[in-house]
Structure formats: C-alpha cells, structure tokens
C-alpha cells in the first residue's frame, strides 16, 4: 500500500531492516522478459550497483 504498483511489478523486496527508527527496504529487480520482447533473444548484462533512495528527507518526528 505504501509503495507504487509499478515498483512492485518490477522488483521483489529482498529484505527489510529497521535502524534508528528508519525503515530500509532492499529490492531485487525481477529478471522477467517484457511481453513485447518475448520472441527476441535477450542477453542479460546484470544489474547496476545498489543505490539509496531517500523519501521525506530530514529528521522525522518521533510518534
């Protein structure tokens, strides 16, 4: 419910961690072939390095 549907279509949540009241979600990209390329020969070159995406930057108030 919190994550965009498009994100969940292309990625799986690999793990989650809570560190100092911050939730860290680790995603792994799904190795799915789009329908429009299903008849093509595709070669996987791997994935990019991990990146950090910060939403709601700054210090969040404690509840």
């Amino acid at each position: 419910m919190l994550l965009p549907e498009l994100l969940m279509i292309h990625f799986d949540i690999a793990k989650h961690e809570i560190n100092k009241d911050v939730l860290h979600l680790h995603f792994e990209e799904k190795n799915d072939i789009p329908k429009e390329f299903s008849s093509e020969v595709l070669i996987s070159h791997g994935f990019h390095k991990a990146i950090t995406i910060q939403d709601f930057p700054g210090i969040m108030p404690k509840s």
Side-chain angles (χ1 to χ4, degrees):
M1 295 202 126
L2 299 174
L3 302 172
E5 181 180 355
L6 191 62
L7 180 70
M8 299 311 300
I9 290 172
H10 297 290
F11 293 86
D12 288 322
I13 297 176
K15 69 177 182 175
H16 69 280
E17 302 171 321
I18 298 176
N19 185 1
K20 297 181 182 179
D21 296 329
V22 176
L23 174 62
H24 296 272
L25 299 174
H26 299 260
F27 294 93
E28 288 185 1
E29 189 171 3
K30 295 178 181 179
N31 197 11
D32 293 338
I33 298 172
K35 292 177 189 174
E36 58 269 17
F37 296 107
S38 62
S39 64
E40 302 290 329
V41 176
L42 301 176
I43 300 171
S44 176
H45 293 289
F47 300 111
H48 292 282
K49 294 179 184 177
I51 62 169
T52 299
I53 301 172
Q54 182 178 350
D55 198 9
F56 302 110
I59 299 174
M60 298 294 294
K62 291 186 178 184
S63 44

